[in-house]
Amino acid sequence: MSTRSLSKGCFVFKPSPKKRKVSRTTAYYFREGSSDLEDSELRFATCQSLQKQVKSETEQIEEELNEQLFDNLVSFLRRSHSAFQEKKTEWTCRTKSREIPTAALVLGVNVTDHDFTFRSLSEVLQNNVTPYIALLEAKDCPGIKNLMQKLLGQLMNCCIDVDSSEEEDYEHVSRSRVRCSMTTLINWYESATKRTDSETPGKKRTSSRHWQSPPVVVIFKDMESFTTKVLQDFVVISSQHIGEFPLVLIFGIATSPMIIHSLLPHSVSSLLCIELFQSLSCKDHLSTIIDKILLTTQFPLKLSEKVLQVLINIFLYHDFSVQNFIKGFQLCIVEHFHSNPLSVLCCQLEEAKRRVNSLSHNQCENVRRLPSFRRYVESQVSEKQIALLTVDSSLKEAVQKLLEDLNVYHENYFPILRCLHVFTSSLPKYPLGKQIRELHCACLENRVWETEEYESSLQLARMLNKSDLVTMLQKCVEILVSSPGREFDEIVEKLKEFLTQFQKLEEAYQERDESISPQKELQKKTNLYHLQKTLLELKESRRSKKLTKFEMLRFEVVDYIDSLVRHYLVPADHKTLHEIVYFNTASVLREHLNAAPRIALHTALNNPYSYLKSEVL
Amino acid sequence: MSLAECRSAGALEVKFVPDEDVLRHIADDAGIKVQKGKNQLIANPKRFVKKLEAISDDEAQEVLEEKSYVAVLGVCGEESMTNGSSVGGGEVYTFQTPKRSNKMAELASELAQTPGQSAVPDPSKCPEKTAKTPQSSKRSSSSQVQQKTKKNEFVSTTPYRLRKRLAAPDAQLESESEYSASCSEEEEGEEAQKEVSTVLSHQKTPAKTKAVSTPPSRKTLTKKKDNMNDLVEEYFEAHSSSKVLTSDRTLQKLRRKRLNQFLEEINCLNVAELQQTLHDLLQKSPLAYAAEIKELNQQYESLFSKWMLQLHLGFNIVLYGLGSKHDLLEKFRTSMLQDCVHLVVNGYFPSITVKSVLNSITEEVLDHIGTFRSPLDQLEFIMKRFKEDSSLELYVLIHNLDSQMLRGERSQQILAQLSSLPSIYLIASIDHINAPLMWDQAKQSLYNWLWYETTTFSPYVEETSYENSLLVQQSGSLALSSLTHVLRSLTPNARGIFRLLAQYQLENKDNASYPGLSFQDFYQQCREAFLVNSDLTLRAQLTEFRDHKLIRTKRGADGVEYLLIPVDDSTLSDFLEKEDEDI
């Protein structure tokens, strides 16, 4: 069948039913497309499990981050709601002024992330507060009529969800398009609450989960894109009826809370009783995600410096969307497992060791082809070189050992990185960056201790005062103690020793304070000659600037940190077999996520040679 | 000399080379005449260019900065193998950055300023030479320029169009042709000499700029009448006109003449025939670099299973790049999708709508009988069905997602929502250079694109096959003729009614949200013009129009009936003109 027609633009193709049952799985395409057939099944399984893990982890992180906000919102609902329930002075006076309780939820410019937030918010509310939730989007509501339609549709549907036994007659109602007005809404609300009230003995579940006469929550997802008129009308209309049923509005705001006042005139906004809620900024959000996902040993796959830069740049320069960042990371996972046959070893250490044993000969050859492994071989003695290059079993042994080394390296790397970050993040002007991700990138890029920035930050660290230094050391101790690394006992000991030395120093100072200070001696001496002499001595000593004990100790501490950095923060691409766990084809990522069609056209037209490798061009 | 360095300065290259070319051109062209001044002319440009280099240095710095951002994004060519991403963003975009255009503006204003002064050194010797070679003489005064630039308060206010033109990518070609045109023209006019002398008398005034920069043919007319008044006029002209350096012999003029000729020819021929012959001719000529293109295509075909994988993992795929991607997608369809339910949408089809896409999904894929009140309802239905039944899978191929009919905001929103369903796999192609502007962040995240560059260099045969098709009433002439035909068969009153409506619509053509003329207003107007005597007669007349699809009625939000003529404004005004002639 052809897809050319003069009268049609859409063509549907349906294979015959018996053919259709051969539906291919994703794994099939993974196998088909991957460059190397080795272990593709295993790779795909690993990839999938890793993706799932990352997904659940990120979701959990997000939930934790939103928890506070949601708690606040729920308590806000409770407060506004209790007023309604009591139907006492406060409520009546509010009814007189017809104010609708409103939560202004400032979510930031990363609009794409809002969807997830709203979804979990409505889930939380559904579970704890009320079944009557309507989520409205500007694109569905060009007019007040559509808005009311949408609102009623959603509310009546959710009512059906709650008690499915009554589905029949209610579906009937919603089908036969009731006239969408506030009165229908109120009637519906009364009947719905009455029903649940009468059924409470039978249905404990609903009553225990929700409050009595639960409020109707209307969420405007994207407040800014709503037409002013629609919003105004809705607010005015519903304020007329606020006495008859408990309505609560939630405005999702991307820019600033000022927008409410610019969208709604004073006469309308005075009908709202607005409370402001601020969600976590997307930058903090990203930092948490990076901290929990990339800077741990939990996930075997790591990102190289360039890849991370690309992802962060897309975040910072394009959308501020954490979801997109995670999507990019997911793409990295797929790409890595898809393109790299050795990625089969990219899993937890024990599993990887087992997999090493079952490597095929081809895979062993793949290992030998890795540049980092070649470097390693060259550094060995000749007999061992031959063994590594010819005997598979000895290679496997070496690979196991190397993988273990790599694991240990990571285990040490991240805690030490955090310690270094504790130091650098408090320095003036942040020579190594304010965020830990910047420091991480710097460390991955090349030997960090060879950079100028590191030099200057060390110099600045040598000028820290004592209290800062002590708090930093304490923080470092905390980080190291809580980390699983095995080699840290010694370091912790050493740091603690420094701490006690500082402590002692303090005591010594106090003691010295008690002893007679040179100034006091000065006062005693009345002889002019002596006075001159001592003054000279004082001056002399100031000039030569003999290091105090504190300074000596400070130098020692900084030097010690320096030595730690030199030992543990070796860039990853100096490590053997880093190709297995590091995804480093940044160009692929950029091409697919941040493409530049303009440039492609430009090149194709100006320099066709780059595509058609023809000598003529 | 500085050519190589200029090259390295990126986009600046386009500016400097033409200058020298022009210089050479002038030296060749007017060589004999300018001989005396030649040495001076050639020596000075060097100085000037040196100064430009100084500027270009810090511009290069900017370019570097821009590039570093691009490089950070991973542009670095080493890793991207065949793809054209090796071009830095700086090279493509620089002409538009405001900073740079300011610099360009500075240069431009310098260029615009200096020529008058350049005549100062020895006006007696070669006045006509300076006049004849405006571009070169400009440069001969670099030293004065340097002093002058400090006073140039209005630098940034130089005409935007001038700036743009100077910064335009193909300035080289453009300027060359323009310069040569002006040169040749000036040789014709003997008055040029006189003009220059008049100009020289006003040297101290700002008007001097114009003396050389404006085409003499235009000036001769104004100049001779009134010298003093001109000064003011000239000043403003020099500082506002974008055509400071060009003659008025523009391409447009030429093209119009040719176009008219061409149109006459076309009138003789049958359009379809013409198209056919063109097609045949194109068919005969062999495709250049066929082997390389084939290899390129094979490269893309090897990606098919990867695309399938990524589609299954929840991404959607968009193809971009030069050349028709129709065949590639077709190949993808035949090789990978034979056993699956799939939908092919020809976005380039002139009457494609989102509704038809949704209809084919509900009717043919989901076997649903029944209609929907709005596309949104339909979309909801589809989403519900796909969410309920997880065994349902649908591959959607859209050729030209950015086509005229689908690029609207609402269509894109619906398609994006459709594509966000986990069991709908979308693979689409885009061709317009600004196509990505269709999508805001929200839509982009719904689409969840993975971009693939597929530059195929193959001709857009299929996509353009509907152009000028008789089935598509795109061409204004066709609609116009049908309009006049129908109208001729009507009574004068009916014609008057239609005229009223057309005039009202033209009056409101600048109003983007013009809903049409409401029936009541229309009736009132018709009554006032003695065209109808009752509501009913007007309705009867309107039915006639409606039957011929001359008008369309639409109900507004308030239930009022609005009348619209579904013809574009230019055709409508043509029609009115013709009617006027007839009367």
Side-chain angles (χ1 to χ4, degrees):
Chain A
M1 216 164 109
S2 112
T3 58
R4 297 173 188 199
S5 161
L6 282 175
S7 57
K8 255 175 81 181
C10 302
F11 306 88
V12 173
F13 298 88
K14 276 183 155 179
S16 53
K18 65 170 189 284
K19 245 187 184 175
R20 208 191 297 178
K21 65 183 173 217
V22 215
S23 87
R24 287 158 174 173
T25 56
T26 321
Y28 169 81
Y29 295 113
F30 189 89
R31 195 165 56 242
E32 276 291 289
S34 57
S35 49
D36 221 308
L37 288 176
E38 298 293 333
D39 301 318
S40 63
E41 224 116 301
L42 201 56
R43 261 155 59 202
F44 181 67
T46 326
C47 170
Q48 291 261 293
S49 76
L50 186 60
Q51 273 195 316
K52 234 173 262 162
Q53 227 178 319
V54 168
K55 201 170 167 228
S56 66
E57 180 77 24
T58 49
E59 268 165 20
Q60 204 191 328
I61 291 169
E62 241 143 281
E63 233 162 69
E64 279 165 22
L65 288 177
N66 282 331
E67 208 178 3
Q68 178 70 36
L69 178 70
F70 290 166
D71 279 353
N72 287 344
L73 265 176
V74 168
S75 68
F76 164 75
L77 286 177
R78 206 179 292 263
R79 248 179 296 137
S80 59
H81 175 73
S82 65
F84 177 79
Q85 236 180 4
E86 286 158 18
K87 286 194 175 157
K88 273 178 190 168
T89 46
E90 198 200 342
W91 182 258
T92 43
C93 80
R94 191 183 278 174
T95 334
K96 265 178 204 152
S97 60
R98 293 184 314 207
E99 277 184 356
I100 310 170
T102 307
L105 196 56
V106 182
L107 291 166
V109 287
N110 46 337
V111 186
T112 43
D113 295 350
H114 295 179
D115 237 16
F116 187 85
T117 317
F118 281 120
R119 227 181 310 138
S120 41
L121 172 65
S122 67
E123 232 165 70
V124 167
L125 294 183
Q126 204 121 46
N127 289 337
N128 302 320
V129 183
T130 169
Y132 311 124
I133 295 168
L135 277 163
L136 296 176
E137 266 177 284
K139 62 173 191 284
D140 298 330
C141 311
I144 183 78
K145 200 173 141 202
N146 308 61
L147 188 142
M148 288 304 292
Q149 243 171 35
K150 200 91 195 162
L151 181 65
L152 278 175
Q154 285 194 16
L155 287 176
M156 291 183 173
N157 270 335
C158 71
C159 157
I160 290 163
D161 289 343
V162 168
D163 28 26
S164 45
S165 58
E166 243 89 352
E167 204 169 312
E168 309 305 314
D169 55 297
Y170 262 85
E171 196 153 26
H172 180 70
V173 173
S174 64
R175 279 273 168 80
S176 63
R177 294 278 161 201
V178 278
R179 263 193 69 241
C180 295
S181 70
M182 225 46 188
T183 5
T184 19
L185 186 62
I186 292 161
N187 288 340
W188 160 82
Y189 180 76
E190 273 171 8
S191 64
T193 43
K194 210 180 283 166
R195 224 149 31 85
T196 41
D197 280 351
S198 61
E199 282 165 12
T200 30
K203 289 200 168 190
K204 278 265 162 71
R205 192 177 57 94
T206 39
S207 61
S208 61
R209 258 197 320 156
H210 303 127
W211 308 330
Q212 279 202 324
S213 63
V216 175
V217 178
V218 180
I219 302 176
F220 293 84
K221 274 188 177 177
D222 38 357
M223 161 97 176
E224 280 95 339
S225 17
F226 274 94
T227 345
T228 332
K229 201 166 169 308
V230 174
L231 267 182
Q232 284 179 24
D233 286 352
F234 180 74
V235 170
V236 171
I237 292 171
S238 47
S239 76
Q240 303 280 345
H241 299 276
I242 186 67
E244 293 156 64
F245 76 111
L247 177 75
V248 181
L249 304 181
I250 295 179
F251 290 149
I253 294 171
T255 47
S256 84
M258 284 311 291
I259 198 79
I260 298 177
H261 299 290
S262 61
L263 270 178
L264 303 173
H266 180 71
S267 60
V268 178
S269 61
S270 62
L271 297 175
L272 303 172
C273 171
I274 301 171
E275 196 157 323
L276 200 65
F277 295 90
Q278 184 94 35
S279 80
L280 201 64
S281 89
C282 49
K283 259 157 64 194
D284 298 343
H285 199 155
L286 180 78
S287 312
T288 329
I289 292 274
I290 289 184
D291 203 42
K292 294 262 172 68
I293 296 218
L294 296 180
L295 301 181
T296 59
T297 47
Q298 195 186 348
F299 301 103
L301 180 76
K302 306 282 186 298
L303 299 182
S304 77
E305 184 257 342
K306 265 188 191 157
V307 174
L308 194 57
Q309 280 291 358
V310 168
L311 284 180
I312 289 174
N313 275 324
I314 290 177
F315 177 85
L316 290 178
Y317 290 101
H318 291 266
D319 50 13
F320 290 117
S321 164
V322 180
Q323 296 294 328
N324 276 354
F325 183 85
I326 295 165
K327 172 190 152 190
F329 185 52
Q330 298 272 18
L331 183 68
C332 292
I333 297 175
V334 177
E335 278 292 328
H336 183 68
F337 283 96
H338 187 256
S339 59
N340 192 349
L342 282 174
S343 60
V344 71
L345 298 179
C346 181
C347 52
Q348 298 304 333
L349 184 64
E350 285 74 38
E351 180 64 28
K353 274 183 176 172
R354 231 178 310 130
R355 287 184 190 178
V356 167
N357 282 329
S358 53
L359 280 186
S360 66
H361 177 69
N362 266 348
Q363 284 283 50
C364 292
E365 285 301 309
N366 280 335
V367 172
R368 284 179 191 126
R369 251 175 257 137
L370 291 179
S372 70
F373 188 75
R374 270 200 232 152
R375 252 179 282 144
Y376 168 76
V377 171
E378 275 156 27
S379 67
Q380 301 296 316
V381 282
S382 57
E383 302 104 69
K384 194 143 188 232
Q385 276 186 10
I386 293 164
L388 280 175
L389 290 179
T390 51
V391 187
D392 279 358
S393 59
S394 63
L395 173 96
K396 281 174 188 170
E397 229 166 81
V399 167
Q400 274 178 345
K401 205 181 127 285
L402 287 170
L403 280 177
E404 205 166 324
D405 282 354
L406 204 59
N407 200 44
V408 169
Y409 159 74
H410 282 134
E411 264 174 13
N412 298 332
Y413 176 90
F414 293 114
I416 298 291
L417 184 74
R418 279 171 217 273
C419 289
L420 181 61
H421 180 240
V422 166
F423 273 86
T424 56
S425 61
S426 58
L427 296 175
K429 284 206 256 172
Y430 311 105
L432 276 169
K434 207 175 184 177
Q435 307 282 349
I436 195 167
R437 55 168 190 261
E438 294 163 85
L439 189 64
H440 180 53
C441 283
C443 290
L444 283 179
E445 197 181 5
N446 43 35
R447 293 195 177 94
V448 71
W449 56 90
E450 284 170 2
T451 58
E452 260 174 59
E453 290 86 5
Y454 182 77
E455 256 335 289
S456 61
S457 55
L458 271 197
Q459 232 145 44
L460 287 170
R462 287 198 183 103
M463 283 182 261
L464 285 169
N465 65 19
K466 204 186 84 191
S467 62
D468 281 355
L469 211 54
V470 170
T471 46
M472 282 175 198
L473 283 177
Q474 275 161 349
K475 268 191 210 163
C476 288
V477 169
E478 271 170 40
I479 290 168
L480 293 177
V481 167
S482 61
S483 69
R486 278 159 281 182
E487 299 176 18
F488 291 140
D489 295 345
E490 209 177 300
I491 299 169
V492 170
E493 278 303 305
K494 184 85 182 164
L495 288 180
K496 275 185 180 160
E497 197 186 308
F498 281 131
L499 277 173
T500 49
Q501 276 178 0
F502 275 118
Q503 196 73 35
K504 266 184 204 158
L505 217 58
E506 207 161 339
E507 281 158 19
Y509 267 127
Q510 279 164 357
E511 273 168 32
R512 202 194 295 165
D513 277 346
E514 280 158 26
S515 72
I516 315 143
S517 63
Q519 267 80 10
K520 275 180 187 166
E521 275 174 36
L522 264 184
Q523 287 167 357
K524 280 183 188 171
K525 301 269 155 78
T526 44
N527 190 332
L528 188 64
Y529 171 73
H530 278 284
L531 184 67
Q532 249 176 354
K533 205 179 165 191
T534 40
L535 276 176
L536 270 177
E537 271 171 12
L538 267 176
K539 210 175 174 190
E540 200 83 330
S541 68
R542 215 168 287 161
R543 198 177 291 157
S544 69
K545 219 180 187 180
K546 230 180 109 194
L547 289 172
T548 61
K549 263 189 182 170
F550 166 66
E551 278 166 331
M552 300 260 273
L553 195 55
R554 184 165 63 183
F555 271 42
E556 220 172 300
V557 170
V558 174
D559 284 343
Y560 184 67
I561 297 288
D562 185 38
S563 74
L564 284 182
V565 168
R566 277 164 203 268
H567 188 245
Y568 291 108
L569 296 188
V570 186
D573 42 358
H574 291 236
K575 286 280 163 190
T576 318
L577 294 185
H578 68 91
E579 289 94 338
I580 290 177
V581 292
Y582 276 85
F583 176 71
N584 53 13
T585 39
S587 63
V588 172
L589 203 65
R590 199 188 51 82
E591 260 164 42
H592 294 330
L593 289 182
N594 193 13
R598 275 189 103 92
I599 293 176
L601 283 182
H602 182 94
T603 335
L605 290 168
N606 287 318
N607 183 20
Y609 177 76
S610 61
Y611 293 96
L612 311 167
K613 305 285 180 207
S614 167
E615 288 306 311
V616 190
L617 290 169
Chain B
M1 36 183 250
S2 60
L3 205 71
E5 286 165 58
C6 292
R7 279 257 159 76
S8 66
L12 271 177
E13 139 196 25
V14 295
K15 228 196 127 289
F16 297 124
V17 181
D19 286 344
E20 285 174 54
D21 278 357
V22 167
L23 192 65
R24 210 188 315 127
H25 179 89
I26 291 154
D28 290 347
D29 221 51
I32 310 147
K33 286 186 198 167
V34 197
Q35 253 175 7
K36 257 192 250 169
K38 201 176 173 185
N39 287 339
Q40 178 200 349
L41 288 179
I42 292 176
N44 281 331
K46 269 184 194 163
R47 260 197 285 162
F48 194 77
V49 170
K50 255 181 214 160
K51 203 177 109 283
L52 286 180
E53 268 172 54
I55 296 171
S56 79
D57 270 352
D58 34 297
E59 285 189 29
Q61 197 86 34
E62 276 167 38
V63 173
L64 266 181
E65 273 165 29
E66 275 167 41
K67 273 188 182 161
S68 72
Y69 160 64
V70 177
V72 162
L73 279 182
V75 162
C76 23
E78 353 142 12
E79 278 173 299
S80 59
M81 2 147 333
T82 55
N83 291 329
S85 30
S86 48
V87 181
E91 279 164 50
V92 181
Y93 295 109
T94 36
F95 341 115
Q96 276 148 14
T97 46
K99 257 196 204 163
R100 297 176 55 75
S101 57
N102 262 344
K103 284 246 168 75
M104 287 296 185
E106 257 170 62
L107 283 175
S109 65
E110 275 174 28
L111 294 183
Q113 281 252 306
T114 41
Q117 293 213 332
S118 67
V120 180
D122 53 358
S124 53
K125 267 185 197 168
C126 50
E128 83 275 27
K129 278 162 208 159
T130 36
K132 273 175 192 166
T133 57
Q135 315 82 356
S136 50
S137 57
K138 260 178 269 156
R139 244 145 272 137
S140 65
S141 56
S142 53
S143 52
Q144 279 140 328
V145 169
Q146 272 159 332
Q147 297 159 0
K148 197 132 195 220
T149 36
K150 269 151 208 157
K151 285 177 250 162
N152 283 347
E153 239 67 81
F154 64 96
V155 171
S156 51
T157 63
T158 35
Y160 170 70
R161 275 194 290 167
L162 171 67
R163 255 188 280 164
K164 210 172 91 184
R165 198 165 53 85
L166 278 168
D170 50 359
Q172 186 175 354
L173 293 171
E174 214 175 277
S175 53
E176 231 178 322
S177 61
E178 274 162 13
Y179 290 154
S180 57
S182 58
C183 277
S184 59
E185 201 162 354
E186 278 160 58
E187 274 164 37
E188 294 165 21
E190 286 182 11
E191 284 111 324
Q193 211 164 340
K194 286 181 205 161
E195 283 153 30
V196 174
S197 51
T198 50
V199 172
L200 289 173
S201 62
H202 306 305
Q203 255 169 14
K204 288 282 135 71
T205 66
K208 55 205 159 185
T209 325
K210 206 221 161 196
V212 235
S213 49
T214 41
S217 53
R218 204 169 11 141
K219 228 170 44 179
T220 42
L221 293 174
T222 54
K223 201 97 223 191
K224 294 203 169 165
K225 284 180 195 162
D226 182 350
N227 271 351
M228 279 319 283
N229 252 3
D230 279 356
L231 295 182
V232 184
E233 240 171 73
E234 275 168 356
Y235 175 83
F236 285 113
E237 227 173 307
H239 288 271
S240 68
S241 140
S242 63
K243 304 224 170 195
V244 193
L245 290 172
T246 56
S247 80
D248 56 354
R249 263 194 196 175
T250 55
L251 196 61
Q252 269 180 328
K253 219 163 143 193
L254 202 68
R255 203 184 275 159
R256 202 177 300 149
K257 216 189 261 170
R258 286 242 179 102
L259 201 66
N260 282 339
Q261 243 174 10
F262 185 65
L263 283 177
E264 275 166 35
E265 280 168 24
I266 285 185
N267 280 340
C268 306
L269 276 168
N270 186 338
V271 177
E273 234 172 77
L274 194 79
Q275 219 175 351
Q276 189 57 45
T277 40
L278 183 70
H279 194 249
D280 289 346
L281 280 174
L282 285 177
Q283 202 102 92
K284 267 178 223 161
S285 69
L287 197 61
Y289 307 110
E292 285 86 357
I293 289 175
K294 201 176 159 204
E295 197 179 311
L296 206 60
N297 274 321
Q298 266 161 3
Q299 228 172 339
Y300 301 137
E301 280 158 31
S302 67
L303 291 171
F304 281 173
S305 53
K306 196 171 175 190
W307 292 354
M308 285 303 273
L309 172 72
Q310 281 163 344
L311 286 175
H312 274 268
L313 289 173
F315 295 102
N316 291 307
I317 286 176
V318 61
L319 308 179
Y320 65 93
L322 185 73
S324 165
K325 291 161 278 290
H326 185 272
D327 292 339
L328 187 70
L329 278 178
E330 197 61 11
K331 205 166 231 169
F332 174 71
R333 185 178 78 81
T334 46
S335 63
M336 305 305 286
L337 302 181
Q338 276 314 312
D339 302 333
C340 329
V341 188
H342 56 278
L343 167 70
V344 179
V345 178
N346 292 342
Y348 51 82
F349 185 69
S351 52
I352 189 96
T353 53
V354 188
K355 187 124 184 60
S356 58
V357 177
L358 292 176
N359 274 341
S360 45
I361 294 178
T362 48
E363 281 162 24
E364 296 183 56
V365 179
L366 300 175
D367 297 317
H368 174 84
I369 309 153
T371 50
F372 296 91
R373 288 174 54 247
S374 72
L376 283 176
D377 280 356
Q378 202 166 0
L379 179 72
E380 220 158 272
F381 171 78
I382 294 171
M383 290 173 86
K384 208 171 136 207
R385 279 292 295 273
F386 272 94
K387 269 175 196 160
E388 276 169 12
D389 188 354
S390 58
S391 70
L392 268 177
E393 280 190 338
L394 177 66
Y395 292 85
V396 182
L397 269 91
I398 303 182
H399 301 289
N400 292 85
L401 184 61
D402 55 345
S403 70
Q404 202 78 49
M405 296 302 292
L406 294 180
R407 68 171 63 145
E409 209 266 327
R410 283 170 59 83
S411 334
Q412 288 296 327
Q413 180 69 44
I414 288 174
L415 287 174
Q417 271 176 298
L418 205 59
S419 72
S420 67
L421 284 175
S423 48
I424 286 187
Y425 311 115
L426 175 67
I427 177 163
S429 67
I430 55 169
D431 280 297
H432 195 283
I433 189 163
N434 289 327
L437 297 182
M438 290 189 297
W439 305 311
D440 55 14
Q441 293 295 350
K443 286 196 202 76
Q444 217 150 26
S445 74
L446 279 176
Y447 271 125
N448 203 3
W449 288 129
L450 279 190
W451 298 72
Y452 273 89
E453 182 179 348
T454 52
T455 303
T456 58
F457 287 105
S458 43
Y460 289 100
V461 178
E462 195 66 32
E463 285 90 335
T464 55
S465 60
Y466 293 97
E467 300 264 309
N468 299 323
S469 155
L470 289 179
L471 290 164
V472 194
Q473 301 221 335
Q474 276 178 329
S475 65
S477 62
L478 212 65
L480 186 61
S481 71
S482 64
L483 261 185
T484 42
H485 272 293
V486 173
L487 263 270
R488 237 170 246 166
S489 64
L490 293 176
T491 61
N493 268 3
R495 257 185 268 172
I497 291 171
F498 191 76
R499 268 180 72 86
L500 265 183
L501 187 58
Q503 270 160 356
Y504 188 78
Q505 186 161 336
L506 278 182
E507 276 164 26
N508 285 295
K509 67 180 172 191
D510 297 329
N511 183 3
S513 60
Y514 168 68
L517 183 56
S518 75
F519 182 80
Q520 275 310 318
D521 291 350
F522 192 36
Y523 174 57
Q524 208 56 43
Q525 284 187 24
C526 288
R527 257 183 92 95
E528 277 161 20
F530 300 114
L531 292 169
V532 293
N533 55 4
S534 76
D535 199 338
L536 279 178
T537 34
L538 179 59
R539 284 213 184 271
Q541 300 281 12
L542 288 182
T543 345
E544 182 92 30
F545 293 138
R546 207 173 297 151
D547 290 346
H548 286 101
K549 298 213 161 71
L550 288 183
I551 60 164
R552 208 163 43 189
T553 50
K554 202 166 64 175
R555 275 205 192 274
D558 42 358
V560 179
E561 205 175 347
Y562 286 104
L563 302 166
L564 255 183
I565 304 176
V567 178
D568 58 311
D569 295 327
S570 58
T571 319
L572 209 58
S573 53
D574 279 353
F575 164 75
L576 282 182
E577 265 171 39
K578 228 175 189 175
E579 281 282 285
D580 287 338
E581 277 169 28
D582 287 354
I583 295 165

